[in-house]
Amino acid sequence: MIHQSKVMISAAALSLLMLNAASAEVTQKGEALYLEHCAVCHQPDGKGVPGLFPPLAGNPRVLAKEPKEIQEYLQRIIFGYHGGLLVNNRVYSGRMPPLGYTGNINESDLLKLINYQRSAWGNDARPITFKELATAREQGRDTGK
Ligand code: HEC
């Protein structure tokens, strides 16, 4: 009896360890994708280049909570953006390429990349879901963006 409960505890501990390892893997993948697709402009530390590339660290858009704001944020990543921005009292009028639209990156990787940004460099927003990403694609198409 005693022996059996010990075995059960270690099985639970093992599955916890495996869960942690799985989420660490997702984060690592998200970071690698960010470094590959975004860091050239927004910089590896997410701080951007003042006046040229807006910061993603601490950027209220990246930390969006409301459904409508989340959709705007996701559509900027999927379809690109060049509407001009004001972030931390600086104006940006560059051009963000539509990386999520060109097929360079699949949906599951895009989600990892996005959720890496939402949780890296002191950012602590909740993860985006597949459904939210799918909605952003659909609605962006509808409006011809
Ligand atoms: C070639 C440079 C470049 C690359 C690569 C790039 N961006 Fe951008 N990004 C920009 C610029 C420039 C803007 C601001 C556009 C403007 O001023 O209208 C921007 C804006 C944004 C915004 C909107 C910020 C806000 O405050 O609304 C987000 C979010 C964003 N980028 C995320 C990403 C992600 C995620 C990637 C990688 C998948 C990425 N960017 C890759 C240049 C880039």
Side-chain angles (χ1 to χ4, degrees), residues 37-38 40-42 52-54 56 59 61 73 76-77 81-85 87 92-97 99 113 117:
H37 293 285
C38 323
V40 62
C41 295
H42 295 285
L52 279 179
F53 306 116
L56 302 178
N59 182 326
R61 181 89 51 203
Y73 159 63
R76 283 180 187 187
I77 297 175
Y81 188 72
H82 57 98
L85 288 174
V87 185
Y92 294 86
S93 56
R95 184 172 283 269
M96 155 91 187
L99 284 168
L113 192 166
Q117 271 177 79

Side-chain angles (χ1 to χ4, degrees), residues 8-86:
M8 279 174 64
I9 287 168
S10 48
L14 192 67
S15 67
L16 254 181
L17 267 176
M18 283 164 67
L19 260 181
N20 278 339
S23 73
E25 231 170 71
V26 168
T27 307
Q28 267 174 20
K29 177 78 185 176
E31 180 176 19
L33 290 164
Y34 174 81
L35 292 175
E36 182 184 344
H37 293 285
C38 323
V40 62
C41 295
H42 295 285
Q43 303 301 298
D45 62 4
K47 293 205 175 106
V49 177
L52 279 179
F53 306 116
L56 302 178
N59 182 326
R61 181 89 51 203
V62 178
L63 299 171
K65 285 197 181 76
E66 298 301 319
K68 192 169 166 283
E69 290 173 356
I70 286 180
Q71 288 303 316
E72 272 176 15
Y73 159 63
L74 293 177
Q75 289 184 7
R76 283 180 187 187
I77 297 175
I78 298 170
F79 299 103
Y81 188 72
H82 57 98
L85 288 174
L86 187 67

Side-chain angles (χ1 to χ4, degrees), residues 100-137:
Y101 194 54
T102 50
N104 289 340
I105 184 165
N106 69 40
E107 210 70 351
S108 141
D109 280 353
L110 185 57
L111 201 65
K112 284 177 196 153
L113 192 166
I114 288 168
N115 286 331
Y116 170 72
Q117 271 177 79
R118 303 245 306 165
S119 61
W121 326 298
N123 287 355
D124 63 351
R126 72 149 170 86
I128 296 294
T129 64
F130 268 114
K131 194 160 184 283
E132 285 170 321
L133 196 57
T135 303
R137 274 193 195 277

